[in-house]
Structures are given as C-alpha cells and as structure tokens.
Amino acid sequence: MTEKFDLIVIGGGPGGYVAAIRAAQLGLNTACIDMTTARDGKAALGGTCLNVGCIPSKALLDSSKHFHHLNNDYAAHGINVTDASIDIDTMIARKDKVVSKLTGGVAQLFKANKIRQFHGRGRLLADRQVEFTAHDSDEAQLLHADNIILASGSVPIEIPNVAFDGEFIIDNEGALDLTEVPERLGVIGAGVIGLELGSVWSRLGSEVTLLEALPEFLMTADQDIAKQAGRLFKRQGLDIRLGTLVKSAIVEDGEVRVTFENQKGEDNISFNRLLVAVGRKPYTEGLLADDCGVELNERGQIGVDEQSRTSVAGVWAIGDCVRGPMLAHKASEEGIAVAELMAGKAAHIHFDTVPWVVYTDPEIAWVGKTEQELIEQAISYRVGSFPFAATGRGLAMGDAAGMVKMLADEESDEILGVHIIGPGASELISECVVAMEFHGASEDLARIVHAHPTLSEAVHEAALHVDRRAIHRGN
Ligand code: FAD
Ligand code: NAD
C-alpha cells in the first residue's frame, strides 16, 4: 500500500531537515528520507554539514586554535606552559561527540514536530511518488505526497588521475578523522576547505603545502582582504603555491607523489597524506527515475526557478544540489522559503546578501560585492576601512590583525559590500547583513551607537571612514 504525506523531503541536511521542520510547524504531514548512517549503524540526520562538514571542521578548528595559542600567544599574557601536547584521539572523540549531540538533536526535533523519519534511500518517480529503500533492506516501499523537496546535497569533486583511496589520498571526511598528525600534508586547492582543514593540521604541527591552480589567492574574496590573508597565512606556516595545477598523484612506498605544472614546467612533490579539496558537485546519483520529469542542467544541478520550483509541479529542489552558493545557511533559508510557499505564504530570499565566512584565524567574512566586482560593473563607489590594530578591544585581547572594509554607492551611500578579516569576523558580518537587507547606508552604521570596547567598533569606524571622518585613524 502506498503511504501518503503532504510533503516528502529527500535529504536530511541543513536544507532538507529545516524544510521538514518548518513544513511541520505549518501543519503539513511531513516525512523526511535520509540515508546517512553513523558508525553505530543508526541514522544520522544533518547531512554533510553536521556529519562531515561545517560542525566537525569547526570543532577541530577550535581545538587546534587552543593548542596553537597555548604554544604561541599565551606567553605574552604571562601564561607559561611547558611541554604542551595534543592527544589526537581525544580531540577527534570530542569532535564526534559534538556531531552526535547535534545529529541526535535533529532527530529529537523531528519527533517533537511529528515528522516521519525514513532511514535509507529515496528516489523520485513520476506522479509525485517516491520509492524508499531502507538502509538495511533491498525491498522498496512506495510513498506519495502532494509536494516533494529534493535536498540531496553535494559530494567532493574527484580530479582525473588523483583517485581517493581513503587512506593516503583523502577528502574532507578523511581529513576530519586522521589518527595522527601527518609530517607533511599536501592539499590540492587553496579554497575554503583547503584553508580550514589545512589550518587545523598545520596548527598541530604538520608541514602543510597548498597547491592552487589559479594565479591569484582567494579569487572570490575582495582582493585587499585576500592579500592580507595570504600574508598572514604565510606567517602561520602555510605554504600556498599559486599557479600550480595538479596533474596526477600516485601512492608509492607509503607516500603520495604529486605531479603538478606551474610556470616553470612540470615537477613533483611528495607528502605523507594528500587532501583533495577542489570543490564539490551536486549529488543526484539514483535520485531521479528516468520518467520523473525533473531535469539536470549542464552543471549537473537540479534545474529550479528563483523560488526553487523544478519543471515538475509540486516538486522543489534546494541547497547544494541547485544553483547558488554551497552554504548551509543558504540551504536552510531555501528550505524555509519553500515550506512557506507550499503552505500558501509569501517567501523570498535575497541571494545578494548571503554572507560568506572562512573560519581561519583570523576569520574572513564578507557580504555583497567586492571592489573588483564594482569596478567590472562600472558602479561608482566610496570605500572606508579600519584596522583592528586601532581598536582597544583587539589590542586588549592580543588579537588585532586584520581590518574591516566597507563599500558604499557613491551617490546614494547604500552599502554595497562589507569585507572583514580579523577576530570575530563571522559574528561581525551579521550587523552588515542586516544593514544591507534594509538597504542601509554607511551613514546609518556611522550613526548607530556601538558598545565600547568591542570589535564592532571597527565596523563603526569603517562606516565613518567612508565619509572620511573616522575618529581613531587618519582620514
Ligand atoms: P547536505 O548537507 O549534503 O545533505 C544532503 C543529505 O541528503 C545527506 O545526508 C545525503 O546523504 C542525503 N541524500 C542524498 N541523496 C539521497 C537520497 N537519494 N535518499 C536519501 N538521502 C539522500 N557551509 C557553511 O555554510 N558553513 C561552513 O562552515 C561550512 N563548512 C563546511 C566544511 C566542510 C568540510 C564541507 C565539506 C562543507 C562545509 N559547508 C559549510 C557546506 C555545507 O556543508 C553545505 O552547503 C550544506 O551541508 C548543504 O546542505 P544540503 O542540505 O543542501 O545538503
Ligand atoms: P573551493 O571552490 O572553495 O576551492 C577549490 C579550489 O581548488 C579552487 O581555488 C580551485 O581553483 C582549486 N583547484 C581546482 N582544481 C585544481 C587542480 N587540479 N589543482 C590545483 N588546484 C585546483 O572548494 P572547496 O574548498 O572544496 O569547498 C567546496 C565548497 O564547500 C565551498 O565552495 C563552499 O561552498 C563549501 N564550504 C564552505 C565553508 C564555509 O562556509 N566556511 C567551508 C568549507 C566548505
């Protein structure tokens, strides 16, 4: 017999599980199918983000940051520690505990919201039917719903001649579960994952080399910020080699030999472990039956309109498997918007104000356009900036590298972009997102009272500096 629901969500990541909760709040009889299985054989909701992405990477970033500060920065505060050591097993076990607490929390939220959880694979058939195969069975069960959300997420890209083996040549999952600090860690790709996970192992003592194909560092970030970041990361010991295109990698005598091409020609380098972090691609394997009507675009993404509708009525798609940035908060907001639209409410997402954060030390965060984009698009602007080194709070903390840079429309003064590298950038960016959502001007932020002493004073001063009236720097 076909079981019927108002909504079936395929995928329980930050897109899918959030959509399911919002739909249930709105009174829809909701089911969510997710196939992730934890080491104990049980379902683990939360997708890439909770299991092998945002959360475990931040847990390791925090552990390794404590260790790094202990060894490098605490002496300046008069705190002397000799023979500090790191117990990798304990660090990894703490990370796993954080993950299971959160995945278990989502399961509890499902129960509280009366969402039916199906542990296994979902496949979209024609006529809004879904075939469900439990994780521990081959038998398929038919489900039907008025609405279906596809939220199947993404997987790492594998490059030709560099095959993952799970031991020497690894992806994000492998790099989150190393049992010892590799003496030499190679990373292909100096993007977000390469920088975050490269930082983790570098802080713990690994010699980390990042091989990046592009000639410039962090091309998607504002280049003033990227340049500062490049200098700071170099000082931290990250060896970032730009213009280096990896061609192949082979495992030989317990090491990985990587062949690459740069301006000087072809060369090779050996590592104990190699992390491949060259981007992610939408995951749709086994998701769509031939006659289901949903189509993929030329980039392998599920084709959707601005409101996440696929070409089939009642079938929606959100998160990493569709267009737009591959970010957890973007996936979740799409999930909420779709649930509200199907419940007859109005919903809209401003893709222009989705913030980006790179959780290195210092953190990098931005929203809106970069200065390069404004120049390319011939938009006239004014720029203000302020260094954390001129804030009382940054100096008191002993953490004052970096700056805030604000770009505002030359005529209207509307804020067009804010770019931060520095302590607490991930939190500071929220104020700027709010200002931009309300079409705020730099003058608005300049006139808002910011508590003293806080890091947010750097945002305030950057706003004042747009009009060349910053107090604590020359204008
Ligand atoms: P996913 O989280 O990938 O979830 C999809 C789920 O669907 C998975 O559980 C999958 O198993 C399941 N699934 C797929 N197909 C089927 C099927 N046919 N049947 C049943 N289940 C299925 N983003 C941030 O915003 N901040 C960060 O700090 C951040 N850090 C990251 C760090 C790393 C190392 C990585 C890899 C990613 C990080 N991301 C971060 C990106 C973030 O994880 C993704 O953007 C986010 O998880 C996308 O959510 P989603 O729901 O679209 O897909
Ligand atoms: P990325 O796109 O950020 O970086 C990949 C890098 O690899 C690029 O700079 C690219 O030029 C380089 N590259 C590609 N092929 C190469 C080759 N053959 N040789 C050398 N370099 C090569 O991708 P990622 O770091 O894998 O992360 C994937 C996505 O996951 C991100 O785009 C982001 O959406 C998400 N993510 C977000 C966060 C966060 O929000 N803090 C953290 C991690 C991941």
Side-chain angles (χ1 to χ4, degrees):
M1 203 187 74
T2 307
E3 219 176 321
K4 290 205 163 73
F5 295 91
D6 295 333
L7 168 66
I8 297 172
V9 184
I10 303 182
Y17 89 72
V18 169
I21 291 174
R22 185 66 190 121
Q25 285 174 348
L26 291 163
L28 301 185
N29 177 21
T30 303
C32 180
I33 305 175
D34 188 89
M35 65 186 188
T36 308
T37 305
R39 283 195 199 106
D40 61 5
K42 294 197 180 125
L45 289 165
T48 303
C49 174
L50 267 56
N51 288 286
V52 291
C54 327
I55 299 301
S57 59
K58 267 78 255 179
L60 296 190
L61 277 158
D62 276 317
S63 295
S64 59
K65 192 166 147 182
H66 289 310
F67 185 64
H68 182 83
H69 283 328
L70 192 66
N71 285 320
N72 296 278
D73 306 315
Y74 286 177
H77 295 262
I79 304 167
N80 294 303
V81 182
T82 43
D83 295 334
S85 65
I86 179 93
D87 177 349
I88 300 296
D89 289 347
T90 305
M91 180 185 79
I92 298 288
R94 186 194 87 94
K95 178 262 297 177
D96 290 341
K97 217 166 143 183
V98 173
V99 168
S100 61
K101 198 163 183 168
L102 286 166
T103 55
V106 177
Q108 276 175 7
L109 288 169
F110 269 23
K111 275 199 190 112
N113 284 284
K114 300 192 171 48
I115 295 164
R116 268 287 291 285
Q117 185 185 343
F118 288 89
H119 181 196
R121 270 193 166 271
R123 192 162 107 99
L124 180 72
L125 310 179
D127 302 324
R128 279 175 269 169
Q129 294 214 89
V130 172
E131 181 188 81
F132 166 67
T133 312
H135 72 112
D136 53 0
S137 144
D138 290 335
E139 256 176 60
Q141 180 185 342
L142 273 190
L143 310 173
H144 181 270
D146 296 337
N147 283 286
I148 291 161
I149 299 178
L150 306 172
S152 53
S154 64
V155 287
I157 292 175
E158 190 163 309
I159 48 178
N161 306 318
V162 188
F164 292 119
D165 67 6
E167 189 184 355
F168 293 96
I169 303 178
I170 54 179
D171 60 11
N172 54 298
E173 237 178 294
L176 289 164
D177 264 334
L178 290 174
T179 50
E180 55 189 47
V181 180
E183 204 177 309
R184 278 166 294 124
L185 173 67
V187 182
I188 311 183
V192 203
I193 295 182
L195 288 172
E196 290 187 356
L197 295 179
S199 294
V200 165
W201 295 104
S202 159
R203 291 169 192 169
L204 301 176
S206 195
E207 195 182 292
V208 176
T209 306
L210 295 104
L211 307 173
E212 168 57 52
L214 294 175
E216 305 287 340
F217 181 52
L218 271 181
M219 292 283 281
T220 44
D222 187 277
Q223 281 306 292
D224 279 342
I225 302 290
K227 283 198 179 81
Q228 272 211 27
R231 280 195 296 272
L232 290 165
F233 297 155
K234 194 172 171 192
R235 226 181 285 157
Q236 288 169 14
L238 290 180
D239 180 2
I240 302 170
R241 302 191 190 175
L242 302 173
T244 306
L245 180 70
V246 171
K247 308 287 270 197
S248 65
I250 50 162
V251 178
E252 238 177 25
D253 303 327
E255 293 208 334
V256 192
R257 190 152 57 84
V258 177
T259 302
F260 61 84
E261 198 176 271
N262 61 16
Q263 262 188 337
K264 292 184 199 149
E266 205 166 277
D267 205 344
N268 62 70
I269 181 170
S270 288
F271 302 106
N272 303 100
R273 292 287 183 278
L274 179 69
L275 162 62
V276 183
V278 294
R280 295 178 65 83
K281 60 177 183 192
Y283 178 71
T284 52
E285 216 177 287
L287 177 72
L288 306 170
D290 288 345
D291 61 348
C292 74
V294 170
E295 278 160 27
L296 303 182
N297 64 21
E298 66 288 348
R299 301 181 65 187
Q301 299 160 328
I302 297 173
V304 288
D305 67 9
E306 279 235 319
Q307 292 187 318
S308 300
R309 287 185 177 85
T310 69
S311 50
V312 177
V315 180
W316 314 68
I318 58 171
D320 279 12
C321 65
V322 303
R323 44 84 192 112
M326 287 183 169
L327 295 172
H329 41 283
K330 175 263 190 184
S332 297
E333 289 308 319
E334 282 179 330
I336 289 172
V338 165
E340 296 188 343
L341 286 169
M342 71 181 59
K345 292 180 171 292
H348 185 69
I349 296 177
H350 295 132
F351 287 102
D352 292 345
T353 48
V354 173
W356 274 85
V357 178
V358 187
Y359 294 82
T360 40
D361 187 16
E363 293 176 343
I364 301 168
W366 71 88
V367 56
K369 292 191 191 301
T370 61
E371 190 165 358
Q372 302 84 260
E373 285 171 333
L374 293 177
I375 293 167
E376 268 165 33
Q377 294 164 24
I379 299 171
S380 306
Y381 61 92
R382 288 192 301 164
V383 55
S385 64
F386 195 78
F388 285 99
T391 64
R393 189 66 201 273
L395 289 175
M397 288 164 62
D399 197 357
M403 66 163 172
V404 177
K405 172 173 171 180
M406 192 173 292
L407 300 157
D409 187 274
E410 186 165 38
E411 253 180 58
S412 69
D413 192 35
E414 180 170 340
I415 301 169
L416 303 173
V418 184
H419 305 270
I420 307 177
I421 177 168
S426 57
E427 303 293 340
L428 294 175
I429 201 68
S430 287
E431 171 184 3
C432 310
V433 176
V434 172
M436 285 182 66
E437 272 292 323
F438 287 92
H439 297 283
S442 78
E443 183 68 16
D444 293 316
L445 284 186
R447 286 186 181 278
I448 288 173
V449 181
H450 288 71
H452 175 74
T454 60
L455 296 169
S456 71
E457 286 173 298
V459 175
H460 186 217
E461 290 269 13
L464 286 163
H465 189 240
V466 171
D467 194 38
R468 296 297 175 266
R469 54 183 217 265
I471 302 298
H472 294 94
R473 64 159 291 177
N475 289 294

